[in-house]
Amino acid sequence: MLLVRVAGLVAGFLTIALVATGCGSGSADEASGSAAGATAVRVSLSDDGCRADPASIAAGPATFTIKNENGSSVSEAELMSGSRILGEKEGLTPGLSGSFSLDLKPGTYQLYCPNAKTERSDFVVTGTSASASSSSSAAAAVNAATAGYSAYLKDRAASLVTLTSTFVAAVKAGQVDRAKALYARARAPYEAIEPVAESFGDLDPAIDAREGDVPAAEWGGYHRIERQLWVAGNTAGMAPVADKLLADVRTLATRIAGSSFQAADLANGATELLTEVSKSKLTGEEERYSGTDLSDIAANLAGSRAAFDLLAPALAGSSSGMGLVTTIRSRFARTDALMAEHATGGGNYRPYRQLEPAAIRELTVAVDALAEPLSQLAEQVVTIK
Amino acid sequence: MSAHFSRRGFLAGALGSAAAVGGVGVLAGCDPAGPAASRPAVVPFRGAHQAGIATPAQDRLAFAAFDVPGTSRTELVDLLRRWTLAAERMTRGEPVGAVDGSEHYVPADTGEATGLAAANLTLTIGFGPGLFDSRFGLAGRRPAALRELPRFAGDELDPRISGGDLCIQACADDPQVAFHAIRNLNRIGFGVTAMRWFQLGFGRTSSTTPSQQTPRNLMGFKDGTRNVNGEVPADLDAHVWVGPNSDQAWLTGGSYLVSRKIRMGIESWDRDRIGDQEAVFGRTKVEGAPLTGQHERDEPDLAARADGTPVIPADAHIRLAAPESNGGVKILRRGYSFTDGVDPVTGQLDAGLFFICFQSDPATGFIPVQRNLATDALNEYIKHTSSAIFACPPGPADGQFWGQQLFS
């Protein structure tokens, strides 16, 4: 994440590139304010380096308040454990201050002030912590998240099988109106777990290919039936397609039950679901016959939110993680509010073609605003030990 | 190789030693006190005035207008701080953040300017009238002159590519550097700003210093020869910078930016005979001399008559745009040629001039000049399709964020 300082002898004297961090974009102001009972550490930032007062504290909660006294080449301070950033404050131009809070276990940490004459100085935490250390509780939270996600996937897969069975029955019975009414709801669990389904390779094209994605002779799945229902207005020839669809979603459920996932899979999956939203649903290309794209978007967002909510507790141990969580939460709230404007009750949404261009734009802006910080989640999660 | 550093040097070094340096505080490449000669192609980001106004016009433009959908002043200020850090880095030729990292790292910089020099990149911010409504507590700080432009004769404005709460003008001698700057600032702004419209310009049409050749517009003519000279402080003070006696002190040292997208009827123009083309502009096509002179920089003689009629016709562009026809008014022009490909309806070229000008007061700058152009012979071949106005704050001083004057 950090580009380290760079030295090079150029034209006879030393040139150093500025250190840039990867955490600058997308996150709102970092969490600030002192935690109750926390040890206060004042860090003064100058061109010479960053100086902590006191230079050593006992293990437990601590609030670091960083002030840039007059440093013109320094603007941030980080508390690091090895290569991992535990807390940081950026954008501190001269005179500005900011803070972050952490629960620290005993050990030697480093205060890192990019561009200062002395960039790194040790910060020692002594004794034994009364509370659980941030890293071990974070690691436990990661385990809880991956276990929770496995349960979520199984639950969604079970719903998918149930709802698709009902849909398939309507198709095979030639009940066009009923099948159309069931279509979007039947697909929703699939859209909530789509990146996982895609990870099984052959199943996603069989279940979810759009016209032209696969050779015409092989085309089946939801969208084949969608076209028959909305364009032809009947279910002619759909019985074998419907049977195959149900068999495929059952296979998917079986495979999900036998799989396990890493925390990074959750985080990356949460972002991939939003890529799905941007790629084909906000353009109305996914459900080109039924116009039920907003139902897919709602399901994609729900799946993304589920993964994020499970991971959020694991990030609570670092101020940068907390800042990210807070930002992502508020951005989910924004997309939820916009989606609610288009809900028509019973889990249904207005057809895509009824959306004004301004509404599509508004939704796209909100999804971009959400996806940007969400994309930073994976790297935060994988550094948790 | 000189001592400035480029993105190339930054990354090449980053792949090398991680711990090679300690205790060296002087940053040769970004020491504002360093000799300019050691930093070719780097325009200082900070100063009394924003860069990108009087700066000799670079070859390429990327111009973006943004809406601010939210209502949080704190978020807006926080974004301006983050934009400042990123903008300053990019104008030095550095990425906004690391391009590479461990497997799950999402690059903070988008990377397409990696290996490219700073290319004289300037980034100039402006605040639109909409920012001064009730949302951000700025209603009392709106300069009286900052309001939507009046409707002008022949306007065919598309609201989707007009206006905006904020703008950023990126100018550079490399198109990818200019694009990279807007793209990354847009990305950093997600959640606070939303890009409203975006315009690329592929070639400058103005010279802001006499040492630069006056380039030609897409009609093949040199226009704006009598532009404000960016090297003459008195001209800039008189016509471009907002003075200390304006109604809003925060804007002192700033300027008003007016942008107009001017679509040219390229196909019709190309069929016009040379005599008429020259009469339309009031200049010769090849030399660029006024019809009353021999050389480009000869002063036009607006009074000259031949056979009882004005040599420079009454409706010639240079007559109507001349300071003599506008009470001595001059504006600093900084426009770029653009093309957006083919008009999807007509199949004709969608191309023309993305006009940008800076002035100390639009009420005595662009507005009267544009009103005077109502009878311009050129109007037969052009139409204005987008319009915007922004107040550009003075340059950030050391330690200040972009536009801090407005918020303090």
Side-chain angles (χ1 to χ4, degrees), chain A residues 1 3 5-7 10 13-20 22 24 26 93 96 117 264 268 331 361 365 369 372 375 379 382, chain B residues 2-3 5 10 13-14 21 23-24 27-28 81-82 89 92 94 97-98 102 104-106 108 187 190-191 194-196 399:
Chain A
M1 164 169 302
L3 267 192
R5 297 187 81 172
V6 176
V10 182
F13 57 95
L14 211 48
T15 302
I16 306 168
L18 288 182
V19 170
T93 47
L96 287 183
K117 279 183 187 165
N268 288 326
R331 307 265 168 102
R361 187 173 183 147
V365 165
E372 193 66 26
S375 72
E379 203 208 16
V382 296
Chain B
S2 58
F5 56 76
F10 184 86
V21 181
V24 181
L27 306 183
R81 288 184 197 280
R82 289 185 283 128
R89 282 172 181 165
R92 290 179 190 140
E94 300 160 24
S102 60
H104 290 286
Y105 170 65
V106 176
R187 183 183 178 208
F190 283 153
M195 199 184 280
R196 179 179 175 86

Side-chain angles (χ1 to χ4, degrees), chain A residues 77-129:
Chain A
E78 295 158 12
L79 187 74
M80 305 191 66
S81 172
S83 61
R84 183 179 162 220
I85 301 170
L86 300 177
E88 66 178 330
K89 194 70 205 170
E90 293 181 292
L92 299 175
T93 47
L96 287 183
S97 59
S99 65
F100 58 81
S101 297
L102 293 166
D103 189 4
L104 291 171
K105 62 178 180 177
T108 301
Y109 300 82
Q110 291 79 43
L111 267 173
Y112 176 48
C113 303
N115 291 328
K117 279 183 187 165
T118 303
E119 286 192 322
R120 289 172 197 275
S121 48
D122 282 350
F123 183 79
V124 177
V125 177
T126 60
T128 41
S129 174

Side-chain angles (χ1 to χ4, degrees), chain B residues 150-301:
Chain B
R151 187 178 169 83
F152 297 103
D155 275 2
E156 294 186 36
L157 304 181
D158 179 348
R160 293 171 301 178
I161 54 169
S162 295
D165 289 337
L166 292 170
C167 78
I168 296 175
Q169 170 195 272
C171 297
D173 290 327
D174 183 318
Q176 189 132 321
V177 168
F179 177 85
H180 169 265
I182 294 294
R183 176 185 178 180
N184 279 269
L185 294 174
N186 180 49
R187 183 183 178 208
I188 292 168
F190 283 153
V192 182
T193 52
M195 199 184 280
R196 179 179 175 86
W197 52 271
F198 180 54
Q199 185 65 54
L200 282 177
F202 65 79
R204 67 181 173 91
T205 61
S206 307
S207 53
T208 47
T209 62
S211 53
Q212 288 184 302
Q213 286 278 331
T214 305
R216 296 175 188 277
N217 60 28
L218 293 187
M219 290 173 151
F221 275 78
K222 295 182 174 185
D223 188 27
T225 298
R226 304 175 76 204
N227 203 6
V228 172
N229 181 348
E231 288 174 351
V232 178
D235 267 14
L236 294 170
D237 287 340
H239 302 292
V240 178
W241 308 129
V242 175
N245 297 322
S246 78
D247 59 329
Q248 291 290 349
W250 66 266
L251 194 54
T252 303
S255 190
Y256 289 92
L257 182 161
V258 169
S259 72
R260 306 279 290 185
K261 186 173 182 176
I262 304 173
R263 167 88 178 266
M264 293 174 177
I266 297 261
E267 292 80 1
S268 306
W269 175 257
D270 292 346
R271 290 189 282 270
D272 193 28
R273 61 196 167 82
I274 184 70
D276 190 60
Q277 289 189 0
E278 294 187 336
V280 164
F281 272 95
R283 288 187 182 276
T284 61
K285 191 162 190 177
V286 176
E287 167 59 29
L291 295 181
T292 54
Q294 300 297 314
H295 305 291
E296 184 198 341
R297 302 215 178 257
D298 290 348
E299 286 290 305
D301 182 355

